Amino acid sequence: MLSEIAIIVVRGVAIGALFSIIAMSFNIVHNATRILNFAQGNIFILGGFAAYLLANNASFPMWLAMLAVTSVVIAVFVAMQGWLTLLPLRGNTTEQDSWMISTVSVSVIIAAILMLIYGPFAYSVGGVTPAFEIFGVKTPGAFLLAIAVMIGWYLLLSWFLRHSFTGLAISALSQDFDAARAAGLNVRRLQLLAFGISGMIAGSAGFMVAPIISVSPDAGLRYVLNGFIAAVVGGIGNNTGALIGGPLVGVMAMLMAYKVGGAYQDLASLIVLVVILMFWPQGLFGRATARRV
């Protein structure tokens, strides 16, 4: 019984770490633009396909080099997506709904292109991290790597947003666009940078944890759904909330899979979302915001 609980917790936290990483990529874009980029799930899967194509069973130095290339390429791609998304928006308002159509469209296009090229199949990817044992049960090392990636991106983002000039400028956008512009900040350039960083987060994570995810064209929906739930549970825009919300959702999903069946994992995520919103409408670490009317 103890071994089963340990496996559920370790794997649940690791799977939740993936949701947490996607939630952080949601947050940095939302803080800079008020936009939720619903393409993040398939951008995450793009990282997985890059690992399959460029670094499947590769040596560690080659894997590391391909990780750097993938991160930069996907960051540039998502920055371009951000430019297209922001293009029709006038001023700083996101009251127009074109951003929602743009981000969902990009997600659908990525999935359709992957489906045309690779078909509806799931591909397996070899990892560079050794397996470990939990009470005698062999577990892929990528589960621990997922947790390490989540903590690493959290610490890196925290330092960047609090101690670098560019990070502070992006944080200022979350307070007031007009004040940031009046202070001389190039708002649009910072917003595109936020899109690029979000792409680097999701793409690099997808690459590193490819051995434990479903690398298939239709897998992005599950990750964007659970990443969004993790972001809402933690409080939209709050990375500390994402750090806690993701593993919470992941452990509940693993528990549901163990007790009821794998088909009900996403139901567990939705139950967590409903319960949290009933008692904390702004999420665990969210804050109430005023809306200009």
Side-chain angles (χ1 to χ4, degrees):
M1 184 64 181
L2 185 60
S3 63
E4 292 170 349
I5 293 174
I7 292 170
I8 289 172
V9 170
V10 171
R11 295 200 175 203
V13 170
I15 295 299
L18 308 182
F19 306 152
S20 177
I21 291 166
I22 294 175
M24 290 184 209
S25 67
F26 267 121
N27 285 342
I28 191 166
V29 172
H30 183 266
N31 287 342
T33 65
R34 308 286 192 276
I35 285 173
L36 293 168
N37 185 5
F38 290 112
Q40 292 291 2
N42 277 324
I43 290 165
F44 176 76
I45 293 300
L46 271 183
F49 269 99
Y52 170 73
L53 292 173
L54 304 174
N56 196 7
N57 295 318
S59 62
F60 182 71
M62 176 61 73
W63 181 86
L64 207 57
M66 291 299 103
L67 169 62
V69 171
T70 299
S71 300
V72 171
V73 170
I74 292 182
V76 172
F77 170 75
V78 178
M80 292 173 62
Q81 182 222 341
W83 179 74
L84 289 172
T85 301
L86 294 167
L87 193 60
L89 302 180
R90 296 289 179 265
N92 299 317
T93 180
T94 53
E95 291 180 357
Q96 306 166 58
D97 294 330
S98 64
W99 62 267
M100 190 179 300
I101 298 170
S102 300
T103 57
V104 172
S105 298
V106 169
S107 180
V108 172
I109 290 170
I110 292 173
I113 291 174
L114 290 175
M115 183 72 77
L116 284 172
I117 297 175
Y118 298 103
F121 310 109
Y123 296 85
S124 59
V125 181
V128 294
T129 49
F132 63 99
E133 289 191 356
I134 305 175
F135 292 100
V137 178
K138 198 170 184 179
T139 304
F143 280 99
L144 287 183
L145 181 60
I147 298 172
V149 171
M150 173 186 68
I151 295 173
W153 269 120
Y154 173 76
L155 294 176
L156 192 59
L157 281 174
S158 297
W159 177 87
F160 174 71
L161 294 173
R162 293 175 185 170
H163 298 289
S164 71
F165 176 78
T166 305
L168 288 170
I170 290 176
S171 297
L173 297 185
S174 67
Q175 302 297 320
D176 192 317
F177 286 142
D178 295 330
R181 180 174 285 111
L185 298 179
N186 189 324
V187 173
R188 198 59 102 206
R189 185 176 298 174
L190 290 170
Q191 290 174 329
L192 294 181
L193 179 61
F195 265 95
I197 293 172
S198 75
M200 183 172 288
I201 294 170
S204 64
F207 186 100
M208 286 188 275
V209 303
I212 59 169
I213 66 173
S214 175
V215 182
S216 64
D218 61 349
L221 179 61
R222 182 190 178 218
Y223 290 106
V224 73
L225 172 65
N226 286 284
F228 176 70
I229 290 174
V232 174
V233 166
I236 288 286
N238 190 305
N239 285 338
T240 302
L243 189 73
I244 295 172
L248 178 63
V249 172
V251 170
M252 289 301 297
M254 282 298 297
L255 194 59
M256 181 69 87
Y258 175 70
K259 289 292 186 183
V260 184
Y264 297 94
Q265 288 189 59
D266 291 339
L267 177 62
S269 304
L270 293 172
I271 291 173
V272 171
L273 176 65
V274 170
V275 170
I276 292 295
L277 291 183
M278 282 177 63
F279 296 98
W280 296 277
Q282 304 299 328
L284 294 174
F285 291 85
R287 59 183 180 184
T289 57
R291 183 175 181 180
R292 186 178 299 170
V293 296

